[in-house]
Amino acid sequence: MSSQQPPEEPAYEDRVYRSPMAVVTGVLLLALIAWLCGDAIVRGSGNAPWYAAAIALLAVPLIVAFTIRPAVFANDDRLRVRNPFRVIELPWGAVDAVRARYSAEVLAGGAKYQLWSVPVSLRERKKASRQQTKQELSGRGGATGKGGQGSPGKSGPAASAEPQRAQADQVVNELRELAERGASRAGAQGGVRVRWSYEVLAPAALGAVFLIVLLVIG
């Protein structure tokens, strides 16, 4: 009888990480562009409709690229980073580190890739640190009790709470755990692949050229 290795567990659906504030900002900016440029195209005279069309063609892809488009997709095998102008696919076996300093980053193959959809807020990080300190102090007080002596094995509710972390630090921690679990998977091997997002670059470049032509001939 030949011994067979148990089949590897399948990779589950992607976890998706976005910045809700960036998405809301993008939607509002797109609505503003649609209102201003749409009004100029419909009611404008002379070259105004052409200028409005060129500005919209330039602005809409850039707004989408920097607000709505950025996202991070992670599953048991790989990390896919969708930044404004590039898509980076990183099998967990190729990832060296995931970290959050002044920005969330993934290191692989001697290169550094920023996670645009996971913004690091130093203010939020300081707030989480203060809350964690308060939790620890409250937990110590709950453990000692009124009589000054704590009963063994008991602590206040704050002592058993999860450590407070900023949102970016929580995401990075989850990605690190996925990287550690998935690094040895057969499906998590391979090199880093980077693809430029021409669906964003092409219309933005066309809008820029259109606007320059209008400025030259106007």
Side-chain angles (χ1 to χ4, degrees):
M1 294 179 61
S2 60
S3 60
Q4 293 184 348
Q5 292 183 347
E8 195 173 65
E9 294 183 1
Y12 295 99
E13 290 185 2
D14 288 352
R15 301 185 190 184
V16 184
Y17 301 94
R18 294 178 183 272
S19 171
M21 185 59 67
V23 173
V24 170
T25 302
V27 170
L28 293 176
L29 287 175
L30 289 175
L32 181 63
I33 288 291
W35 175 44
L36 295 176
C37 293
D39 184 71
I41 291 172
V42 173
R43 301 183 182 181
S45 59
N47 288 333
W50 296 107
Y51 278 107
I55 291 171
L57 188 58
L58 172 62
V60 168
L62 295 180
I63 291 172
V64 171
F66 284 98
T67 59
I68 299 173
R69 177 182 170 79
V72 170
F73 305 88
N75 60 26
D76 292 342
D77 285 337
R78 65 190 62 248
L79 179 70
R80 183 162 64 93
V81 181
R82 194 170 69 192
N83 282 343
F85 302 124
R86 295 193 302 176
V87 176
I88 305 105
E89 291 190 10
L90 306 105
W92 289 125
V95 172
D96 299 320
V98 184
R99 67 187 185 189
R101 294 181 178 177
Y102 295 106
S103 63
E105 303 163 343
V106 57
L107 307 180
K112 178 173 66 175
Y113 306 98
Q114 188 174 352
L115 309 181
W116 277 76
S117 66
V118 187
V120 173
S121 170
L122 298 182
R123 182 178 180 181
E124 185 183 357
R125 185 176 282 171
K126 290 178 181 178
K127 181 179 178 181
S129 178
R130 287 196 300 267
Q131 290 178 345
Q132 176 63 19
T133 302
K134 289 179 182 178
Q135 271 193 357
E136 292 174 355
L137 293 175
S138 176
R140 291 171 190 170
T144 55
K146 290 184 179 179
Q149 260 186 334
S151 57
K154 292 184 179 180
S155 60
S160 60
E162 289 292 326
Q164 294 290 325
R165 290 192 182 95
Q167 181 64 31
D169 294 328
Q170 292 179 19
V171 171
V172 166
N173 188 58
E174 291 180 14
L175 295 178
R176 282 175 182 160
E177 291 177 356
L178 284 172
E180 290 172 1
R181 293 202 306 263
S184 59
R185 289 174 59 91
Q189 308 308 311
V192 178
R193 292 190 295 176
V194 180
R195 178 180 67 83
W196 287 97
S197 302
Y198 294 106
E199 65 274 18
V200 173
L201 295 170
L206 183 60
V209 172
F210 191 12
L211 185 59
I212 291 171
V213 171
L214 288 174
L215 292 172
V216 170
I217 66 176

